[in-house]
Amino acid sequence: MEFTKMHGCGNDYIYVNGFTEEVPARKKPELVRRLSDRHFGIGGDGVIFINRSSQADFEMEMYNADGSRAEMCGNGIRCVAKYVYDKSLTDKKSVSVVSSGKIKYLDLLIKNGVVDAVKVNMGSPILKATDIPVISENEEVISETIEVEGNVYEMTCVSMGNPHAVVFMEDVENLDIEKIGPYFENHVRFPKRVNTEFVKVIDRNTVQMRVWERGTGETLACGTGACATVVACILNGLTEEKVTVKLLGGELHIRWDQAENLVYMTGPAETVFEGEIKI
């Protein structure tokens, strides 16, 4: 099977052309776990199959490193756009990509004949607790307390097609995320588990973020998490609507257009290497 290793701000996935590579659905979870292993496989935060679609220009079929399905990945979908353009699967500079039934619209920024960066219309943030989902007595979870392993945190919950809990704190660099991340991910209040963003507000237009992604662990970046973070910042009155999110793997530029109620994300997409592996 041929593959391409790509990343967006260090959030790396293995990309497979579903037009030419046929993998039975029942075999994908096990294959994903093997390919994602950084010691015995290719190594990555998961695997993304790029397929034909009757709903959009392309389908993104995404798996976490543990073999579980994921609904959306902001960094991953930018790399899908780069893949299909650079591989001449399309010559359009604006494309649509469907993932788990939700369509996103992407504008490709071309440099020297290849995609350098991508702007994604990530759609409207979901704030209703039951739709995220998060268990709460309130309709929306904004600056609500949660007890995790004996400590009390304040979280704001947002879905960008997948569930996020955003927690603000003064020091994210020294956070023992490997310890606390799994407890958030598997907390009883999150029926479908959760991605958790630990965020420090630097100024009205800049934040620093680390993320624990369900099914993967800490990643160098999370596009949907960056979007959810900016929405949470604005809901709590902490930033303006245009924010640079500083991640371990780079920077993403996020804007929540509140008049349209749409979140836009702009960031890089990089090809690392290509190869083939026996499956």
Side-chain angles (χ1 to χ4, degrees), residues 72-179:
M72 175 51 58
C73 174
N75 294 311
I77 203 169
R78 293 200 315 276
C79 290
V80 168
K82 178 176 176 63
Y83 185 104
V84 297
Y85 185 88
D86 291 1
K87 296 275 191 186
S88 300
L89 297 180
T90 184
D91 59 1
K92 298 195 296 185
K93 295 181 181 178
S94 294
V95 298
S96 59
V97 178
V98 63
S99 180
S100 292
K102 301 293 179 63
I103 300 175
K104 304 298 182 188
Y105 299 91
L106 303 87
D107 295 321
L108 285 53
L109 309 177
I110 311 301
K111 185 177 181 180
N112 298 325
V114 297
V115 173
D116 180 60
V118 180
K119 178 182 178 182
V120 188
N121 178 347
M122 294 293 289
S124 300
I126 297 167
L127 302 177
K128 189 175 180 181
T130 54
D131 292 341
I132 290 174
V134 53
I135 296 172
S136 174
E137 295 179 354
N138 301 309
E139 186 173 352
E140 297 180 351
V141 177
I142 300 174
S143 193
E144 188 172 307
T145 58
I146 181 173
E147 184 175 338
V148 181
E149 282 299 284
N151 294 313
V152 177
Y153 301 85
E154 287 190 0
M155 66 176 180
T156 297
C157 294
V158 181
S159 172
M160 293 301 306
N162 53 358
H164 295 272
V166 180
V167 178
F168 296 102
M169 53 181 53
E170 286 300 313
D171 183 9
V172 298
E173 290 182 2
N174 296 307
L175 174 69
D176 190 353
I177 197 170
E178 295 286 340
K179 179 180 179 180

Side-chain angles (χ1 to χ4, degrees), residues 15-276:
Y15 292 79
V16 178
N17 185 345
F19 288 63
T20 57
E21 303 289 349
E22 295 185 9
V23 181
R26 69 182 186 281
K27 292 187 176 181
K28 285 181 177 178
E30 179 184 354
L31 176 64
V32 167
R33 289 190 289 271
R34 182 163 68 86
L35 298 184
S36 300
D37 191 290
R38 297 187 184 277
H39 298 287
F40 298 101
I42 299 165
D45 291 329
V47 177
I48 292 175
F49 296 89
I50 302 171
N51 304 323
R52 291 182 174 86
S53 172
S54 59
Q55 301 172 274
D57 293 323
F58 301 94
E59 181 199 25
M60 177 173 81
E61 181 188 355
M62 178 189 170
Y63 291 82
N64 296 316
D66 66 355
S68 61
R69 281 297 301 270
E71 300 94 341
M72 175 51 58
C73 174
N75 294 311
I77 203 169
R78 293 200 315 276
C79 290
V80 168
K82 178 176 176 63
Y83 185 104
V84 297
Y85 185 88
D86 291 1
K87 296 275 191 186
S88 300
L89 297 180
T90 184
D91 59 1
K92 298 195 296 185
K93 295 181 181 178
S94 294
V95 298
S96 59
V97 178
V98 63
S99 180
S100 292
K102 301 293 179 63
I103 300 175
K104 304 298 182 188
Y105 299 91
L106 303 87
D107 295 321
L108 285 53
L109 309 177
I110 311 301
K111 185 177 181 180
N112 298 325
V114 297
V115 173
D116 180 60
V118 180
K119 178 182 178 182
V120 188
N121 178 347
M122 294 293 289
S124 300
I126 297 167
L127 302 177
K128 189 175 180 181
T130 54
D131 292 341
I132 290 174
V134 53
I135 296 172
S136 174
E137 295 179 354
N138 301 309
E139 186 173 352
E140 297 180 351
V141 177
I142 300 174
S143 193
E144 188 172 307
T145 58
I146 181 173
E147 184 175 338
V148 181
E149 282 299 284
N151 294 313
V152 177
Y153 301 85
E154 287 190 0
M155 66 176 180
T156 297
C157 294
V158 181
S159 172
M160 293 301 306
N162 53 358
H164 295 272
V166 180
V167 178
F168 296 102
M169 53 181 53
E170 286 300 313
D171 183 9
V172 298
E173 290 182 2
N174 296 307
L175 174 69
D176 190 353
I177 197 170
E178 295 286 340
K179 179 180 179 180
I180 193 64
Y183 289 113
F184 267 96
E185 176 183 352
N186 298 291
H187 197 282
V188 67
R189 291 187 62 184
F190 305 110
K192 294 186 177 180
R193 298 188 293 170
V194 77
N195 304 285
T196 311
E197 287 73 39
F198 301 94
V199 180
K200 177 181 179 180
V201 177
I202 297 173
D203 57 43
R204 296 287 299 178
N205 296 103
T206 315
V207 301
Q208 180 184 8
M209 178 189 116
R210 289 177 67 186
V211 58
W212 181 269
E213 293 200 54
R214 59 178 182 168
T216 300
E218 183 174 24
T219 59
L220 296 183
C222 176
T224 55
C227 294
T229 289
V230 172
V231 170
C233 286
I234 295 169
L235 291 173
N236 286 281
L238 300 174
T239 66
E240 306 301 329
E241 71 171 26
K242 290 183 179 180
V243 179
T244 297
V245 181
K246 293 181 175 293
L247 305 143
L248 293 179
E251 296 182 354
L252 292 173
H253 303 283
I254 312 297
R255 178 170 69 93
W256 182 18
D257 186 325
Q258 291 179 276
E260 293 184 329
N261 193 29
L262 294 173
V263 179
Y264 295 92
M265 171 190 63
T266 303
E270 305 268 352
T271 298
V272 185
F273 63 88
E274 297 184 315
E276 61 180 32

